[in-house]
Amino acid sequence: MQELQKVCGYVAIIGRPNVGKSTLMNQLLKRKMTITSKRPQTTRHSITCILTDEQQALQMVLVDTPGINFNTQHHVMKWMHQQAVSALKHLDLRVWIIEAGHWEEHDQIICEMLVPLAEKTIVIINKIDKVKDKLKILEHMQTLSDMGFRKIIPLSATKEQNFSVLFKMAREVLPISDYYYPIEQQATCTKEFMAAEVVREKLMRYLGQEIPYECTVMIDNFEIDPSNSLHKIQATIYAGNDRHKKVIVGTEGQQLKAIGQAARLTLEGMFKQKVFLKLWVKVKDSWAAHKEAITQFGLEE
Ligand code: GDP
Ligand code: MG
């Protein structure tokens, strides 16, 4: 069998609330795939997950595009739109999720945003299990196809498993490229992983590139209170040396406090729950810390 050439690129999952983005992501994550804790160097987006399908020789680096999956209650301002559209333009692929037989104003807004980028946008019509009249789905597919969208995939995130179709179609759109992230590190996209990534992202934002690069963030404890869903997270930032530790903590702990607050707010947005986040800073031999992180996230082969 001839070996497939590798394809790889940055991908955004887009869709109004309740179309099934999380469900689809969770299903995708059940497949064998890869995620790494490496930092994104070439994109201004933050990475949420890395999906690698070795059969398809494909790697999708999923990124978060703030301002796209906005809340319906909030008024969408023009500048925000423009910001969002320009952020989307630089991606290799967009996967837009809509709901079969259910179209809202919010879908229309996203649709208009994506039409100029339709050639590199795949549309997923989700929840087809809920629609009795399948002809309606076909009609909708035709309309979207006439608008220029590259591929339209009807599926059911809860009932069907044919996600390989998405990978197959993504192959045609993504550029031929080596993987951006190594595949020998495997893990699932857990909340713990996401929490560590967010803390790391804030370290970058507050401290620039150099110091955070040598840091390891470890989640010591992650508990969800069954009574009120409060997410209680305790994490340690392992600094490369004493000087780094001092910078991270800041005068009277101000820097660490700011980093913690920013991380908490981002995590509350991601988890849609209240978050309690406690951060510590310790100095550690960086190799040992790296090794621990690898074990913690199940990144070992
Ligand atoms: P998100 O807001 O886009 O992340 O949407 P969620 O993934 O939270 O899904 C919203 C609701 O739609 C949940 O109740 C899901 O169980 C349901 N849902 C998602 N995918 C499907 C599907 O394929 N079929 C059906 N019937 N329900 C689905
Ligand atoms: Mg969701």
Side-chain angles (χ1 to χ4, degrees):
M1 206 175 80
Q2 207 190 344
E3 220 172 276
L4 283 173
Q5 248 182 323
K6 283 189 184 122
V7 297
C8 180
Y10 292 103
V11 180
I13 307 260
I14 302 154
R16 69 157 161 81
N18 216 34
V19 287
K21 295 182 295 297
S22 301
T23 310
L24 185 73
M25 280 299 303
N26 290 337
Q27 294 285 355
L28 286 168
L29 285 165
K30 277 190 207 150
R31 297 160 46 95
K32 182 171 172 284
M33 56 190 56
T34 331
I35 186 158
T36 82
S37 57
K38 282 267 174 65
R39 286 307 310 164
Q41 303 294 344
T42 51
T43 167
R44 56 199 169 111
H45 304 286
S46 58
I47 292 179
T48 53
C49 274
I50 295 157
L51 309 180
T52 306
D53 184 324
E54 287 184 79
Q55 258 170 7
Q56 293 290 334
L58 164 148
Q59 183 172 76
M60 291 199 272
V61 182
L62 299 188
V63 298
D64 199 22
T65 48
I68 297 294
N69 300 314
F70 42 76
N71 210 309
T72 21
Q73 281 93 295
H74 293 166
H75 190 66
V76 185
M77 288 178 286
K78 214 169 181 174
W79 68 267
M80 189 173 154
H81 252 296
Q82 276 155 1
Q83 290 269 99
V85 173
S86 85
L88 283 179
K89 223 186 276 174
H90 299 290
L91 299 172
D92 301 297
L93 170 67
R94 289 152 289 276
V95 177
W96 173 34
I97 307 181
I98 57 174
E99 201 178 324
H102 194 99
W103 186 263
E104 291 179 10
E105 193 193 341
H106 198 157
D107 295 301
Q108 187 61 33
I109 293 170
I110 295 176
C111 182
E112 282 162 21
M113 195 192 285
L114 291 177
V115 162
L117 309 168
E119 202 220 331
K120 288 190 175 176
T121 302
I122 289 175
V123 188
I124 287 182
I125 305 182
N126 189 28
K127 308 196 190 182
I128 53 166
D129 57 294
K130 279 172 82 177
V131 176
K132 292 217 176 68
D133 184 0
K134 304 290 182 210
L135 206 62
K136 280 247 164 65
I137 297 172
L138 285 177
E139 282 169 14
H140 200 176
M141 286 174 75
Q142 189 58 52
T143 311
L144 290 161
S145 170
D146 291 344
M147 290 169 124
F149 288 103
R150 182 69 164 260
K151 300 276 176 194
I152 295 107
I153 310 172
L155 60 75
S156 160
T158 45
K159 298 235 161 68
E160 291 188 14
Q161 277 89 47
N162 67 335
F163 298 126
S164 50
V165 179
L166 171 61
F167 286 85
K168 232 180 218 150
M169 296 196 167
R171 252 206 87 77
E172 294 179 26
V173 185
L174 290 175
I176 288 171
S177 158
D178 255 338
Y179 296 159
Y180 299 160
Y181 294 88
I183 56 162
E184 69 276 4
Q185 304 171 327
Q186 295 190 345
T188 50
C189 194
T190 59
K191 280 187 169 177
E192 283 85 346
F193 176 85
M194 288 157 92
E197 275 294 275
V198 167
V199 172
R200 208 197 310 261
E201 184 216 333
K202 300 307 173 197
L203 283 168
M204 296 282 248
R205 184 160 305 168
Y206 281 79
L207 303 171
Q209 298 274 339
E210 183 218 353
I211 293 176
Y213 195 75
E214 287 181 34
C215 287
T216 303
V217 179
M218 300 272 294
I219 304 301
D220 306 311
N221 196 30
F222 194 119
E223 261 177 72
I224 300 173
D225 190 320
S227 68
N228 56 8
S229 293
L230 175 72
H231 286 42
K232 285 191 240 175
I233 308 166
Q234 299 179 5
T236 306
I237 300 162
Y238 289 97
N241 57 45
D242 256 327
R243 184 177 69 80
H244 287 184
K245 179 181 165 177
K246 284 211 182 82
V247 176
I248 295 165
V249 173
T251 317
E252 291 175 354
Q254 287 303 316
Q255 186 70 272
L256 186 63
K257 199 171 159 200
I259 290 165
Q261 256 168 9
R264 178 178 59 77
L265 286 175
T266 301
L267 288 168
E268 285 183 343
M270 282 167 102
F271 299 151
K272 306 268 184 291
Q273 295 294 347
K274 281 264 167 250
V275 169
F276 168 86
L277 176 66
K278 177 91 186 114
L279 293 177
W280 282 270
V281 186
K282 291 180 188 163
V283 178
K284 203 166 181 197
D285 163 52
S286 62
W287 181 82
H290 179 68
K291 200 149 188 260
E292 262 182 53
I294 283 177
T295 315
Q296 181 186 14
F297 296 124
L299 297 178
E300 271 165 332
E301 292 94 306

